[in-house]
Amino acid sequence: MVLTHTTNHTYSHPFPTVTLAFFLRYYSPQLNPFSSHVLSTDTVSSHVDPNTGRLHTTRIHMKKTRLPSAVVKLLPSSVTGGGGDKSSYVLETSVVDIREGWMKTESRNLNYTGVLSVVEQQHYSTTPPDHVASTPHSDETAARPLVSTPHRPLSPNTFVTTTFSYRSTLGGKKQEKAVLESTDVGDEPGPRRFGEWISGWGAKRIQSSIESIASNKTDDQMIKSRDGMRIVLERLRNNGVVAVLRELRRREGKNVFDQ
């Protein structure tokens, strides 16, 4: 089962500024105070397709994360590693077409995928979602020659559709060989197979519960994410792109941004 959650949002900023804010949103907590949970960002690859002019980027973010308390209580510690903050990796891929005015991004967790796989897909566009025609996949347009197009007025708004997909495979075949978990239940201490615990609850029931718990946290996560983007966008607008980029090159720890 895959549980999905889709929302739409409008940024009152032009598309080039929004795409720049997207790539800068995790640069520093000084720029985006809602990014303090991001420990590092590394660019794996980045290139412009010479045929389409599209920018393709792959990045890995290391984040400080905490599993929902309800999930920690629901699952054995052999699966979750217990409560508390942990480090996890998120793989982010993006494609930007500045001429056509759209950007597609996808982010997915690389840790705890046996418990829950979360995929976030976003489509940024200069056109409202109900007016956006289906965009051909990159492999279908790779051979299309890059031609100059007439200049068109820059839209003051950027529209984004975000879809989260949640999938838990806990209790599937990959988990059947799980390690033994030492537990004390009543007067019967000793090792207990994780598979027996799954059988007692029912794999489908556990998977559905985990997906629902994660989905219920989406609204709060989206609010923080949009607030962070809004702050970055306002600083780009108020200070200018060049000034912000110059300040980002300064040594960390200096309060260089206007509040």
Side-chain angles (χ1 to χ4, degrees):
M1 175 183 176
V2 178
L3 191 63
T4 61
H5 185 102
T6 300
T7 60
N8 293 309
H9 184 70
T10 302
Y11 292 108
S12 57
H13 296 264
F15 177 74
T17 307
V18 173
T19 56
L20 177 59
F22 173 84
F23 287 106
L24 292 178
R25 73 195 193 283
Y26 291 154
Y27 185 88
S28 168
Q30 288 189 351
L31 178 62
N32 175 11
F34 290 93
S35 68
S36 59
H37 66 294
V38 181
L39 304 177
S40 67
T41 293
D42 294 289
T43 300
V44 178
S45 64
S46 183
H47 73 277
V48 176
D49 189 313
N51 292 320
T52 63
R54 294 172 181 169
L55 173 65
H56 297 255
T57 305
T58 300
R59 302 194 296 178
I60 290 183
H61 307 293
M62 183 171 71
K63 299 183 177 183
K64 181 171 60 177
T65 185
R66 180 189 293 265
L67 288 174
S69 58
V71 173
V72 175
K73 293 178 182 178
L74 176 67
L75 301 178
S77 58
S78 61
V79 177
T80 63
D85 293 334
K86 300 176 178 60
S87 296
S88 63
Y89 292 93
V90 175
L91 178 66
E92 173 197 283
T93 58
S94 61
V95 180
V96 183
D97 192 315
I98 201 69
R99 292 184 306 116
E100 296 182 359
W102 60 263
M103 174 173 69
K104 287 185 176 181
T105 72
E106 179 181 285
S107 300
R108 60 176 64 237
N109 61 306
L110 300 180
N111 302 82
Y112 309 113
T113 54
V115 177
L116 180 68
S117 176
V118 181
V119 178
E120 178 189 17
Q121 295 176 312
Q122 291 187 299
H123 183 274
Y124 294 79
S125 177
T126 57
T127 309
D130 53 346
H131 295 154
V132 175
S134 59
T135 303
H137 295 292
S138 57
D139 56 352
E140 297 175 358
T141 60
R144 186 178 62 186
L146 179 62
V147 295
S148 60
T149 56
H151 175 75
R152 56 183 177 181
L154 195 62
S155 172
N157 297 321
T158 301
F159 308 90
V160 56
T161 298
T162 303
T163 299
F164 280 93
S165 299
Y166 306 92
R167 177 178 178 140
S168 175
T169 59
L170 195 66
K173 292 183 179 180
K174 291 184 179 180
Q175 281 73 37
E176 289 180 357
K177 297 182 180 180
V179 296
L180 297 179
E181 177 197 8
S182 296
T183 58
D184 291 335
V185 181
D187 297 327
E188 299 179 3
R192 179 188 180 192
R193 288 196 62 81
F194 175 62
E196 296 177 359
W197 182 86
I198 286 287
S199 299
W201 275 80
K204 294 296 183 183
R205 177 185 173 190
I206 294 173
Q207 292 169 6
S208 179
S209 297
I210 293 174
E211 292 165 356
S212 296
I213 292 170
S215 178
N216 289 337
K217 291 178 64 64
T218 296
D219 289 339
D220 180 59
Q221 293 171 346
M222 287 302 303
I223 291 174
K224 292 180 179 179
S225 176
R226 289 168 180 168
D227 284 346
M229 281 286 288
R230 177 184 55 80
I231 291 175
V232 176
L233 287 165
E234 287 302 318
R235 285 172 172 169
L236 288 172
R237 171 185 282 171
N238 295 335
N239 299 306
V241 174
V242 174
V244 169
L245 293 178
R246 183 183 297 117
E247 295 296 355
L248 287 176
R249 293 188 180 96
R250 290 190 178 184
R251 185 176 302 179
E252 293 288 340
K254 293 183 179 180
N255 186 18
V256 296
F257 296 106
D258 297 330
Q259 299 298 324

